[in-house]
Amino acid sequence: MGVGTSIVLIAVGAILRFAVSVTTTGFNLHTIGLILMIAGVLALVLSIMFWSTWGGFGGAAVGGGYRRQRRVSSDGSGGYVEEERADTR
């Protein structure tokens, strides 16, 4: 579950808990709203906690990822020599 789904759960739960005034038999809509809000808050907290381990955008800037370097130099007789070095961090 992501942050967006968590916010939707919290919103739907709040609507069921505070805005709906229907009496039902067999189950309580206010309790279901409270359960949805608690599940949404827990999912939001877990999403924020694991956000940094996701990888996402800018992963190479943080030090992870794959980097390839290529060096082209003259060999002295009119040709060129290519050297490739792969670096996995």
Side-chain angles (χ1 to χ4, degrees), residues 18-31:
F18 302 115
V20 174
S21 60
V22 174
T23 305
T24 58
T25 57
F27 61 92
N28 190 348
L29 282 178
H30 299 285
T31 305

Side-chain angles (χ1 to χ4, degrees), residues 27-45:
F27 61 92
N28 190 348
L29 282 178
H30 299 285
T31 305
I32 293 173
L34 182 64
I35 290 170
L36 285 176
M37 284 193 302
I38 291 171
V41 168
L42 287 175
L44 182 65
V45 168

Side-chain angles (χ1 to χ4, degrees), residues 65-70 83-89:
Y66 179 80
R67 188 176 80 183
R68 186 177 82 179
Q69 292 180 345
R70 188 174 116 181
E83 298 175 20
E84 287 198 32
R85 185 175 77 192
D87 185 21
T88 57
R89 293 190 242 174

Side-chain angles (χ1 to χ4, degrees), residues 5-20 29-30 32-37 40:
T5 307
S6 303
I7 292 173
V8 168
L9 278 178
I10 294 170
V12 170
I15 290 170
L16 288 176
R17 175 79 175 146
F18 302 115
V20 174
L29 282 178
H30 299 285
I32 293 173
L34 182 64
I35 290 170
L36 285 176
M37 284 193 302

